[in-house]
């Protein structure tokens, strides 16, 4: 018996197409908290169907190109188009990220479901998204939410190391804590001075915790 069979929303507001199988669990969590490795491990279980795209981010409606600054806006628009092509070509293989904004494309992620008991997707941003929780509840009131959390100090340092490895920052961790907290108008402004909004949030929590010690 499939657990909590659900339908797929016509859009992220919670309207649905009747009779279509969708996820009955969502894996959400902090960045740099092993959501990717956990999702890959779950996908190997014979009774679990995992979306071929990790991070479809469908229900986090604020994560759309219009919310990001150039050049990230352009990059996300290109990513949406590449993801659409991947899905409509059969979604063979897997992708670690692919922004899905179309309801039919989201439903197609679960077109390969057969007898699996658990059907799910993983989008870490659902943890902090102001819109995702409500939209998921409206569409899938019986779905299970699996959260992965991590010490925010470890998250902040891991984000810093990730950015440093990618060449986005060259300052020390302490210096980056200070300079990354300056306000920005939009998401996605990344430079030596400004890393992403989420990194700045992690840095802020980290600094507050360190000041209490």
């Amino acid at each position: 018996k499939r657990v909590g069979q659900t339908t797929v929303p016509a859009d992220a507001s919670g309207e649905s197409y009747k009779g279509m199988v969708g996820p009955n669990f969502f894996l959400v969590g902090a960045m740099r908290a092993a959501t990717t490795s956990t999702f890959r491990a779950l996908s190997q279980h014979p009774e679990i169907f995992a979306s071929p795209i990790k991070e479809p981010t469908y229900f986090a409606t604020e994560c759309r190109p219009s919310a990001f600054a150039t050049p990230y806006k352009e990059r996300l628009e290109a990513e949406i188009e590449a993801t659409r092509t991947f899905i409509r070509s059969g979604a063979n293989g897997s992708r670690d990220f692919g922004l899905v904004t179309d309801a039919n494309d989201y439903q197609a992620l679960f077109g390969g479901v057969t007898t699996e008991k658990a059907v799910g997707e993983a989008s870490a941003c659902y943890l902090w998204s102001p819109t995702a929780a409500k939209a998921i509840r409206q569409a899938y009131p019986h779905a299970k939410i699996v959260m992965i959390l991590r010490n925010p100090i470890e998250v902040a340092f891991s984000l810093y190391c990730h950015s440093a490895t990618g060449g986005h920052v060259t300052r020390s961790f302490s210096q980056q804590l200070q300079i990354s907290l300056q306000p920005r108008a939009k998401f996605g402004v990344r430079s030596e001075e400004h890393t992403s909004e989420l990194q700045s949030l992690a840095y802020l929590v980290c600094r507050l915790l360190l000041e209490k010690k």
Side-chain angles (χ1 to χ4, degrees):
K1 181 181 178 180
R2 181 172 296 136
V3 178
Q5 183 171 342
T6 55
T7 57
V8 173
D11 56 48
S13 68
E15 298 179 9
S16 63
Y17 293 120
K18 294 182 179 180
M20 293 183 177
V21 176
N24 54 34
F25 80 89
F26 293 85
L27 179 64
V28 308
M31 295 175 65
R32 314 303 297 171
T35 55
T36 299
S37 58
T38 301
F39 191 63
R40 286 174 179 169
L42 289 173
S43 68
Q44 297 177 36
H45 194 287
E47 293 185 319
I48 296 177
F49 181 91
S51 163
I53 295 178
K54 181 183 179 289
E55 310 282 355
T57 319
Y58 179 71
F59 289 101
T61 55
E62 65 281 336
C63 294
R64 298 296 184 260
S66 59
F68 287 77
T70 306
Y72 284 86
K73 178 179 179 180
E74 296 173 353
R75 196 169 82 176
L76 278 178
E77 289 172 343
E79 179 61 38
I80 289 172
E81 185 60 36
T83 299
R84 183 178 296 118
T85 299
F86 170 77
I87 294 173
R88 297 180 184 182
S89 298
N92 297 314
S94 61
R95 292 168 62 98
D96 283 339
F97 176 77
L99 188 58
V100 178
T101 60
D102 180 83
N104 290 320
D105 289 340
Y106 187 76
Q107 190 276 324
L109 294 177
F110 309 100
V113 175
T114 54
T115 61
E116 293 86 354
K117 293 181 179 179
V119 179
E121 62 122 312
S123 294
C125 69
Y126 291 165
L127 180 65
W128 58 263
S129 165
T131 60
K134 181 179 179 180
I136 290 172
R137 180 175 175 78
Q138 288 177 334
Y140 310 117
H142 302 296
K144 297 183 181 299
I145 307 295
V146 181
M147 294 184 179
I148 300 181
L149 306 177
R150 187 180 181 185
N151 184 312
I153 294 178
E154 294 179 357
V155 171
F157 187 66
S158 180
L159 285 167
Y160 166 77
C161 290
H162 184 69
S163 292
T165 300
H168 299 297
V169 297
T170 57
R171 293 186 173 90
S172 69
F173 180 54
S174 177
Q175 291 171 328
Q176 199 64 35
L177 281 178
Q178 302 298 324
I179 202 163
S180 294
L181 299 176
Q182 299 175 19
R184 288 162 306 289
K186 288 180 176 290
F187 292 126
V189 180
R190 178 177 292 181
S191 68
E192 181 73 14
E193 286 69 34
H194 294 142
T195 54
S196 74
E197 190 82 9
L198 288 178
Q199 284 174 285
S200 293
L201 178 60
Y203 290 156
L204 174 59
V205 173
C206 177
R207 194 176 73 179
L208 291 174
L209 289 173
L210 289 174
E211 287 175 350
K212 291 183 179 181
K213 289 185 176 297

